[in-house]
Amino acid sequence: MTNATSPDTYKRLLEVKGLQTYFKTDAGIVKAVDGISFTLNKGETLGIVGESGSGKSVTNLSIMRLIPSPPGKIVGGEVLFEGKDILKLSESELRHLRGNDISMIFQDPMTSLNPFLRISTQMIETIRLHKTMSRKEALAKSIEMLKLVGIPAAEERIHSYPHQFSGGMRQRVMIAMALSCEAKILIADEPTTALDVTIQAQILELIQELSKKLDTAVILITHDLGVVAGMCDTVCVMYAGKIVEKAKTDDLYAKPSHPYTFGLIQSVPRLDKAHDGKLFSIEGQPPNVIDLPPCCPFHPRCHKAMDICRTKYPPTKDLGNGHEVSCWLFIDEKEHSHE
Amino acid sequence: MTKYIIRRLLGIIPTLLVIITISFFIIRVAPGGPFDGERALPEVVKRNIEAKYHMNDPLIVQYGRYMFDVLRGDLGPSYRYKDHDVNFYIFQSLPNSMILGAIAISLSIIFGITSGMLAAVKQNTWVDYLSMALAVVGISVPLFVIGPVLQYIFAMRLGWFPTSGWFRSGDGWKTIVLPALTLAFADFATIARLTRSSMLETLRSDYIRTAKAKGMKPSAIIFKHSMKGAMLPIVSYLGPAFAGIITGSVVVETVFRIPGLGRFFVQSSFNRDYTLIVGVVIVYSVILVIMNFLVDIVYSLLDPRITYK
């Protein structure tokens, strides 16, 4: 490492600091994402896990500034890409960033491609938006990308329409399109949720393999902890719009600290462990995030809840090696009274 | 595709035969006949007239004779207008209605789609509110109000256009402006609302989000990625609307004194003018069936997921 004084700045690709995205609804303000921070390094794969409605997707749409507004609005925080705040970019700078530096693939490949345009049209236009290439060169590049993601007979199939492809193939096309401009970050928003199990593994392997090959950092949004274990270097666990625990994947599985993370890991069905026929589940429902009082949102479902959990949101505690947790269990009395 | 087109075109024939048959019998179920007036005709006279038009034959024989004539392209004599036959009246009035209707529907397509798109893209701004307010006016205010209001403002007050008269010497094309605007209003309103809602739906779809995530410009997103999908409902609306508008509107033709086909729809029914009624029904059905066929073809051109075999 040449820059010995601050090796971190050299590696840091994306830094999210205190991001807040709120939605105005008739029922009140929904704090979908409320002050989250994380860092994504070059070539790293970061997992964001959480239940539906925990703010995973909103986080990533916020990074791309794709939040439908109104009703959504990014009300605070910074999203630094290579040191530049994405939230302050002009519309045209933003367009240059989208698809070029950061690209996205979405949950449902059946609806994410335009059904009215040929695959070739959609791929060529993406490349030509960001690279100075002739139509022919862009077509050649598109075919090369399709081959890379394992589409057979790519030369002919590229001229098909999306409906002529299966779901798994369409997600491959989405990946090919997302990586065609050599994006530095690929955001994959539950890329396998809509696919059947056999295809899921293939798509995840493909993402993993290509990100290594092209040196792309990946943010993988999922609710599947099994997926995270196999793919991610770092994991953020989200609950009710906040990151409750953040750690290297191995640490997280070895020492899940937040009661919620612990519950999540417990609820993954394991083949290698005996159980009495019942699957573990976390009692209760995810909280309604409209006008949430200042408390730990997990306390009604938490077996270790204390009095303070009901009145104050816990500060973040660093357990070492980048393992951070937001839970009162880890804040000792002295520290708290000192505050 | 060619096979499909041929099959569809051949399919028009039985459709029309059924329509003609049904309308032939239904009109005759209605009480009264073409020769019943305010003052009853002397029995002898009435019998003579009915004999002349073969109206004393059994209904099935009349039907057979009528069908035979229709298949040769003869829609028969009018029972009420004695100077000419039905073919003459239709061919004299249909072109007027078609010209007016074609201009009106073009206007409503152009303005309807434009304002609908603007409303959708600038949702919840004054552009949206203005064009939707106009659309509400177009849908709720009847043509017999819009027509005279336009006449009052643009003919009587401003004197830009004549109040009525169809291509009368001196005025020429100017006579067409006010009736075309009036006629365009209702379809404009419907098209604007349809375009807005379908465009809004398209703009919210996943593939538009993909296009945004790729870094596409808003204009390219609207024209390249949204237009085709958003146009589908409008195309299916336009088929019947086009058939309806080019066969004339009785209100607009009455308000602006236009010798079109529309008035015959109403008059011939009041008169129990059997042959004229079936005649205009045939014209309307032919146009409608052809329009629906064209809609299906345009559909398959717009949406690659639709293929005909």
Side-chain angles (χ1 to χ4, degrees):
Chain A
M1 212 159 285
T2 48
N3 194 346
T5 47
S6 56
D8 275 2
T9 41
Y10 169 77
K11 280 193 340 191
R12 274 178 197 170
L13 199 54
L14 186 79
E15 269 187 280
V16 176
K17 288 182 182 172
L19 180 71
Q20 291 174 303
T21 305
Y22 294 176
F23 287 81
K24 237 186 217 161
T25 66
D26 293 336
I29 289 179
V30 177
K31 296 179 178 174
V33 169
D34 197 14
I36 66 162
S37 307
F38 61 85
T39 308
L40 179 72
N41 295 322
K42 248 182 199 164
E44 186 187 25
T45 299
L46 173 83
I48 299 182
V49 287
E51 291 168 271
S52 309
S54 60
K56 301 169 294 189
S57 295
V58 174
T59 303
N60 289 282
L61 289 172
S62 301
I63 293 173
M64 293 283 264
R65 273 171 61 186
L66 281 172
I67 294 291
S69 168
K73 203 175 176 210
I74 301 172
V75 292
E78 284 179 323
V79 179
L80 303 174
F81 174 75
E82 294 181 331
K84 250 194 189 169
D85 192 353
I86 294 177
L87 302 183
K88 293 204 179 87
L89 294 181
S90 71
E91 279 296 319
S92 72
E93 287 170 323
L94 187 63
R95 283 201 296 272
H96 182 74
L97 177 107
R98 288 175 179 165
N100 191 28
D101 294 318
I102 306 179
S103 58
M104 263 186 121
I105 52 177
F106 298 97
Q107 184 169 346
D108 191 354
M110 306 308 272
T111 54
S112 294
L113 288 163
N114 192 327
F116 300 99
L117 301 174
R118 287 176 203 278
I119 301 288
S120 52
T121 314
Q122 300 187 50
M123 290 199 70
I124 290 171
E125 98 188 338
T126 313
I127 295 172
R128 279 170 48 100
L129 270 174
H130 301 295
K131 308 258 179 252
T132 37
M133 268 196 203
S134 72
R135 203 157 265 286
K136 231 178 164 180
E137 287 165 335
L139 179 68
K141 170 84 184 170
S142 309
I143 292 171
E144 184 196 313
M145 288 308 297
L146 287 187
K147 280 181 180 162
L148 202 60
V149 297
I151 303 273
E155 288 91 344
E156 293 137 47
R157 300 220 64 191
I158 192 168
H159 297 295
S160 318
Y161 286 99
H163 71 272
Q164 291 159 317
F165 280 67
S166 68
M169 285 293 164
R170 280 189 227 183
Q171 198 60 296
R172 283 169 194 268
V173 171
M174 282 297 293
I175 294 169
M177 199 155 81
L179 295 176
S180 61
C181 293
E182 291 115 31
K184 290 172 187 141
I185 301 174
L186 174 70
I187 299 176
D189 187 352
E190 305 211 24
T192 57
T193 307
L195 303 173
D196 61 65
V197 185
T198 45
I199 310 293
Q200 284 187 7
Q202 293 176 16
I203 294 292
L204 290 169
E205 265 168 41
L206 181 70
I207 293 176
Q208 201 169 15
E209 184 194 316
L210 285 182
S211 63
K212 289 262 149 50
K213 206 180 213 168
L214 304 171
D215 198 26
T216 311
V218 178
I219 298 179
L220 181 74
I221 305 172
T222 178
H223 54 251
D224 189 337
L225 278 168
V227 168
V228 168
M231 276 188 74
C232 301
D233 305 311
T234 313
V235 189
C236 297
V237 180
M238 281 192 79
Y239 191 79
K242 291 191 164 79
I243 293 179
V244 295
E245 185 163 5
K246 181 163 55 178
K248 296 262 177 289
T249 310
D250 296 341
D251 292 347
L252 190 87
Y253 281 85
K255 222 175 69 185
S257 302
H258 197 283
Y260 178 59
T261 318
F262 187 78
L264 277 184
I265 292 174
Q266 286 296 302
S267 8
V268 177
R270 297 269 301 258
L271 284 174
D272 55 347
K273 269 193 186 163
H275 55 82
D276 56 358
K278 264 191 189 165
L279 294 174
F280 180 85
S281 72
I282 303 174
E283 298 288 320
Q285 294 288 320
N288 184 356
V289 288
I290 296 174
D291 300 326
L292 211 58
C295 61
C296 172
F298 187 61
H299 82 263
R301 305 169 76 184
C302 185
H303 294 295
K304 295 178 175 170
M306 304 175 286
D307 283 344
I308 189 151
C309 303
R310 296 180 181 95
T311 50
K312 245 181 140 180
Y313 190 80
T316 304
K317 166 95 178 175
D318 195 338
L319 303 176
N321 195 22
H323 193 156
E324 289 174 8
V325 62
S326 296
C327 179
W328 284 115
L329 290 174
F330 299 88
I331 313 288
D332 54 47
E333 294 294 329
K334 256 185 261 166
E335 251 179 281
H336 178 226
S337 54
H338 193 69
E339 255 178 49
Chain B
M1 188 73 177
T2 328
K3 257 189 195 163
Y4 171 79
I5 293 175
I6 293 171
R7 211 173 57 228
R8 277 294 298 270
L9 286 174
L10 289 176
I12 292 177
I13 297 167
T15 312
L16 285 178
L17 288 180
V18 170
I19 291 171
I20 297 169
T21 307
I22 291 174
S23 32
F24 180 90
F25 288 107
I26 279 185
I27 308 154
R28 281 165 176 77
V29 172
F35 308 114
D36 297 326
E38 295 265 317
R39 198 172 50 141
L41 290 171
E43 213 30 48
V44 191
V45 179
K46 198 178 176 188
R47 240 187 325 207
N48 275 335
I49 296 176
E50 283 182 351
K52 181 172 181 273
Y53 288 106
H54 304 286
M55 288 177 77
N56 295 325
D57 295 348
L59 204 51
I60 197 74
V61 175
Q62 292 184 38
Y63 170 71
R65 188 182 290 118
Y66 181 72
M67 272 309 222
F68 184 69
D69 286 344
V70 168
L71 291 178
R72 287 185 311 166
D74 179 6
L75 296 175
S78 165
Y79 292 148
R80 204 55 175 251
Y81 310 107
K82 307 268 168 24
D83 303 335
H84 298 283
D85 57 9
V86 171
N87 284 29
F88 176 85
Y89 288 113
I90 287 175
F91 283 106
Q92 195 195 37
S93 58
L94 183 62
N96 294 336
S97 291
M98 285 180 115
I99 292 169
L100 182 63
I103 293 173
I105 197 94
S106 310
L107 286 176
S108 45
I109 291 171
I110 294 167
F111 290 108
I113 290 180
T114 315
S115 64
M117 296 264 292
L118 281 174
V121 173
K122 307 261 173 218
Q123 194 195 358
N124 297 329
T125 62
W126 66 269
V127 183
D128 184 15
Y129 299 140
L130 178 72
S131 65
M132 284 310 108
L134 258 178
V136 168
V137 171
I139 285 178
S140 46
V141 181
L143 294 187
F144 61 78
V145 174
I146 293 175
V149 167
L150 290 183
Q151 281 176 326
Y152 178 74
I153 298 173
F154 294 103
M156 296 181 64
R157 286 279 142 179
L158 298 170
W160 292 353
F161 306 105
T163 49
S164 62
W166 185 245
F167 282 106
R168 227 178 22 201
S169 57
D171 290 328
W173 63 269
K174 277 187 177 176
T175 56
I176 217 165
V177 175
L178 292 184
L181 281 178
T182 310
L183 196 52
F185 226 88
D187 281 317
F188 152 78
T190 315
I191 292 172
R193 290 175 66 98
L194 268 179
T195 308
R196 178 178 181 272
S197 63
S198 122
M199 193 71 194
L200 281 177
E201 201 188 311
T202 309
L203 287 177
R204 273 196 285 264
S205 63
D206 284 353
Y207 60 86
I208 296 303
R209 186 183 56 190
T210 307
K212 281 184 194 159
K214 293 200 307 195
M216 296 196 69
K217 280 188 187 153
S219 57
I221 288 175
I222 291 163
F223 290 106
K224 194 171 175 187
H225 279 257
S226 317
M227 269 296 248
K228 271 188 176 178
M231 282 305 108
L232 289 177
I234 289 110
V235 168
S236 38
Y237 170 76
L238 276 180
F242 197 78
I245 207 168
I246 65 172
T247 44
S249 146
V250 68
V251 174
V252 171
E253 284 169 16
T254 311
V255 171
F256 292 96
R257 290 202 294 124
I258 293 163
L261 187 67
R263 62 203 158 114
F264 288 129
F265 276 92
V266 180
Q267 277 173 18
S268 61
S269 301
F270 282 140
N271 293 340
R272 301 282 185 275
D273 194 343
Y274 295 153
T275 42
L276 191 54
I277 294 172
V278 183
V280 289
V281 166
I282 291 173
V283 170
Y284 177 74
S285 320
V286 169
I287 294 174
L288 184 64
V289 171
I290 292 175
M291 286 321 297
N292 279 337
F293 165 67
L294 288 180
V295 165
D296 287 346
I297 299 290
V298 173
Y299 241 84
S300 74
L301 295 179
L302 283 176
D303 191 343
R305 286 168 297 186
I306 298 172
T307 45
Y308 302 120
K309 282 177 198 135

